[in-house]
Amino acid sequence: MKFDFIGFILNPLVLIFLTMTLGNIFGNIKIKKFSFGITGTLFIGLIVGYILTKYSVNFVETSKYYGKAQQILKGNVIDKNISNLSLMIFIVGTGLLAAKDMRYAIKKFGKQFVFLAVFIPLVGALTSYGFSKLLNDISPFQITGTYTGALTSSAGLAAATESSDSESQRIALEFATMDKKVQEKVLAIINNAKVRDARLKHQENPTILTIENTKELTKDEVETFVIEAKAGVGIGHSIGYPFGVLFLILGINFIPKIFRFDIENEKKKYFKEKARDLAETKITEKKVPEVKMDFIGFSLAAFLGYILGNVKIYLGVLGYFSLGSIGGAIIVSLILGFIGKIGFINFRMDSVVLGKMRTYFLSIFLAATGLNFGYRVIEAVTGDGLMIATVASGVAIISVFTGFLVGHYIFHINWTLLSGAITGGMTSAPGLGAAIDSLDCDEPAIAYGATQPLATLCMVIFSIIIHKLPL
């Protein structure tokens, strides 16, 4: 019997299951009272993805594995549809589980959640713009992409990519009247592109454009600048995204350690206060009998959530806005879970079954994310993407910690809910998974559902505004 070992180790399913196995083993290792839990699959995925990419470089064109190796080198280790499906199942399960307690949390902290949904993306935007003014070696369009990546917003990425086209054309056409510092940034982007392309084609380096020899841009130079602007948004997002996920997850896990409060005590205080408030205000949660599992109800929630997430709303000069499949899914699943039952379809399901199902599919998503981004993350830390990685890390860290400080010390929101509000403000479903895993309860999902939709809208608006601000 012949065993195709190379084909076996390049198989996406083999890679996912291996990463999940090793990642969960790593996540269960306790250092004193701390462990990474389910997010261990992300860190192992990064390592495996890096090793796999380095290995794939060795395949020549005549190899039958060449096509697969090329996909790996492009960061397509695991098909994005697998990632999207696993994340959708996670978020629907999370919404259905948390829905029954939604009324109390929204009634008590609704205004605070709205504030955080605006505040956290705003802090990220201001931090990103501050970096763009300080750094001359990084494209301002890369900074915008880094902002959307650090806050893990695909809606923000779409808005930033679209607005980069019109804004870069405007800047290029107004080059002659621009401030000297802006002109230098524009010429640096064009020069870098020309040098890169000449190196790729094994040609001599082109003449470097300077303020002295360039009074206005040629048609080709305008086209180059516009193309590089749009590409810069994508580059910033692709490098910034994994760092945004990483530092949000680390923040969720380490904030209790840094600020010296016990998670279990926070949970006890939250549930004790909730019981007292419910008794005093006579708020009653809707009692709907649970079923073990209703696949019709679960699938319907996912289907309707996907539809809602893809509805595009025209916002005038801001263009079109949509929640995305994850934003739509969390809203629909919270609403249906709160309703509980429609006819013969049940939306209240056994918490153990849903919980295990949700956790398993989150593990798939984190493993896939690590495998796809592993090489970029490690190379960014050690290579040319270091500055973008540093900016993304800074934006994520500042956004998370300012959100915590305001939520904890000004609004006095218990960490049980605040952790979810922070991940919602960062529009990060993986971060929500880390919060749920760390707290071992579903309450963070309520705050996530209350903040994520508005935070997504703010990400779209702020991404466009950053492009309209002076370079």
Side-chain angles (χ1 to χ4, degrees), residues 187-229:
L187 294 179
I189 292 171
I190 298 172
N191 285 328
N192 289 338
K194 287 188 172 184
V195 170
R196 180 200 63 214
D197 292 345
R199 190 182 301 122
L200 179 65
K201 298 173 182 177
H202 304 292
Q203 299 173 344
E204 291 185 7
N205 283 342
T207 302
I208 297 299
L209 302 179
T210 64
I211 295 176
E212 289 71 29
N213 66 18
T214 311
K215 300 306 177 185
E216 61 182 23
L217 300 180
T218 66
K219 183 178 179 181
D220 287 343
E221 288 163 354
V222 170
E223 184 179 358
T224 298
F225 179 69
V226 172
I227 291 172
E228 289 300 308

Side-chain angles (χ1 to χ4, degrees), residues 240-286:
Y241 177 85
F243 285 94
V245 173
L246 275 172
F247 280 95
L248 176 55
I249 287 174
L250 289 173
I252 292 298
N253 281 287
F254 283 106
I255 280 176
K257 309 292 180 186
I258 296 170
F259 291 91
R260 300 180 183 278
F261 60 86
D262 185 84
I263 290 177
E264 289 303 316
N265 286 339
E266 287 288 297
K267 285 169 59 179
K268 288 177 182 176
K269 285 194 293 184
Y270 168 75
F271 286 111
K272 183 177 180 181
E273 183 180 1
K274 177 183 175 182
R276 185 181 66 246
D277 289 344
L278 290 175
E280 291 176 355
T281 59
K282 300 284 192 293
I283 297 177
T284 58
E285 302 296 342
K286 191 174 181 180

